[in-house]
Amino acid sequence: MHSLIIFASGRGSNAAAIIDHFKQNGKAAIALIVTNNPNAGVLAIAEQQHIPFLIVDKTSIKETLLIEQMADCKPSLIVLAGFMWKIPGTIVAAFRNKIVNIHPALLPAYGGKGMYGNHVHHAVLEAGEKETGITIHHVNEHYDEGDIIVQARCKVQANDTEDTLADRIHVLEHFYYPRTVEYLIG
Ligand code: GRF
């Protein structure tokens, strides 16, 4: 049985989609959820599903203890699902090629520091793009620059707002992220 670690900071809808997917097909278990946000929606999910979780701060995320706790889970993959902080280089090095992220745009466009959530959709609308999408990519030491694994596209409609675009992007994310994780763990 594969083991996954999920990092999330916000609503946690991608984390929920991944948890549901693997609960149904039994191909992986979520060994640990890591968040920086004590109010993250993902913690309610963790409690409800009896998944162990850790709340990290700017110090503990850099400590060897966290790497040891993660290694104890023997993760096939570490899945970033809306995690707001940069992953420390020590974690990237300890789990090289085993960390993936999802970004709500077609990287390399609309990526980098400060490009998250509705900032991304705002920039896409401002630029008058006719299409946008999602990118699932490996994580390296630089924001949004790891190798791209999967991209999926959707249209930008003339009357779209940041929120309607975010909703359309979430539909894509919830479909592709669990399936891409499954493909990667094999
Ligand atoms: C997603 O849109 C994802 O692309 C980005 O953060 C958002 C997280 O949403 N990295 P949720 O917390 O999974 O609902």
Side-chain angles (χ1 to χ4, degrees), residues 8-16 80-84 101-105 115-117 121 134-135 166 169-170 173-174 177:
S9 304
R11 187 157 71 105
S13 69
N14 278 285
L80 310 187
F83 189 67
M84 297 302 291
N101 183 43
I102 189 161
H103 185 79
M115 276 295 181
Y116 60 88
H121 308 313
I134 62 166
T135 304
I169 290 285
H170 267 111
E173 292 185 332
H174 299 163
Y177 210 10

Side-chain angles (χ1 to χ4, degrees), residues 5 20 59 62 118 176:
I5 297 176
D20 283 353
T59 305
K62 294 197 175 124
N118 276 3
Y176 283 100

Side-chain angles (χ1 to χ4, degrees), residues 11 118 121 154 160-174:
R11 187 157 71 105
N118 276 3
H121 308 313
C154 62
D160 263 331
T161 63
E162 291 167 19
D163 289 339
T164 59
L165 210 47
D167 287 346
R168 195 168 310 122
I169 290 285
H170 267 111
V171 172
L172 281 183
E173 292 185 332
H174 299 163

